[in-house]
Amino acid sequence: MRILGIDPGIATVGFGIVDSEKNKLSLVNYGVITTPAKTSLSSRLDRIYDDMTELCKAFSPDAIACEELFFNTNQKTVLSVGQARGVIVLGLAQKGLALHEYTPLQVKQTVAGYGRAEKKQVMEMVRRLLGMDDLPRPDDAADALAVAICHVQELHTAGLLSRQGGL
């Protein structure tokens, strides 16, 4: 089973793609979609939509996992990131792909074993779980890989992957 993990944003959208087969996770690809700060919001949203659509075409994920938005401050940022997330969700829905959502707490708990884990701890566990030589960078891509791993573990816990021949 192939999972596309997404860490939504307006300036940077992290993505991470992992395969799960027979109790083994393997890294497929990861990176970020970036949009220039000086561009209009509509242009940035268009780029995110186009790039996300291309990712889905190129890697044909079986499932999509996305981190839920969490903000304590800056309402302007919340609105623009929410719009970016909406564009992502629309693009996935048009491709017939279901979206599975996880809070940052759930992702950290699943990947690092502690819901309040520091970013560096999560990145180290992602590195170990995927057998990477170096920590995944940038942070947004590492977060997206953690979201994908979280979804695989949730499916495994629910017994869904074993019935589908995955994990």
Side-chain angles (χ1 to χ4, degrees), residues 70 73 86 97 104 111 140 156 161:
F70 174 78
T73 58
L97 297 167
V111 175
D140 302 288
H156 184 264
L161 280 183

Side-chain angles (χ1 to χ4, degrees), residues 20 22-23 152 155-167:
S20 172
K22 297 181 182 172
N23 281 338
V152 168
L155 290 175
H156 184 264
T157 300
L160 296 174
L161 280 183
S162 59
R163 283 185 249 146
Q164 296 175 355
L167 189 70

Side-chain angles (χ1 to χ4, degrees), residues 70-79:
F70 174 78
F71 289 94
N72 284 332
T73 58
N74 199 340
Q75 292 178 350
K76 185 177 180 185
T77 302
V78 171
L79 292 173

Side-chain angles (χ1 to χ4, degrees), residues 28-109:
V28 176
N29 200 345
Y30 68 98
V32 293
I33 297 168
T34 58
T35 63
K38 302 284 186 204
T39 338
S40 69
L41 179 60
S42 60
S43 293
R44 294 173 99 177
L45 294 173
D46 186 51
R47 178 160 184 178
I48 292 168
Y49 176 87
D50 288 345
D51 287 358
M52 192 58 61
T53 300
E54 285 302 312
L55 269 175
C56 289
K57 279 185 200 172
F59 293 101
S60 302
D62 298 304
I64 311 292
C66 187
E67 189 170 82
E68 289 182 0
L69 299 182
F70 174 78
F71 289 94
N72 284 332
T73 58
N74 199 340
Q75 292 178 350
K76 185 177 180 185
T77 302
V78 171
L79 292 173
S80 60
V81 173
Q83 289 172 321
R85 193 172 184 288
V87 164
I88 292 167
V89 171
L90 172 64
L92 299 173
Q94 288 177 338
K95 302 282 179 239
L97 297 167
L99 181 69
H100 306 274
E101 302 173 281
Y102 299 96
T103 66
L105 187 80
Q106 285 174 295
V107 174
K108 290 175 182 181
Q109 177 68 42

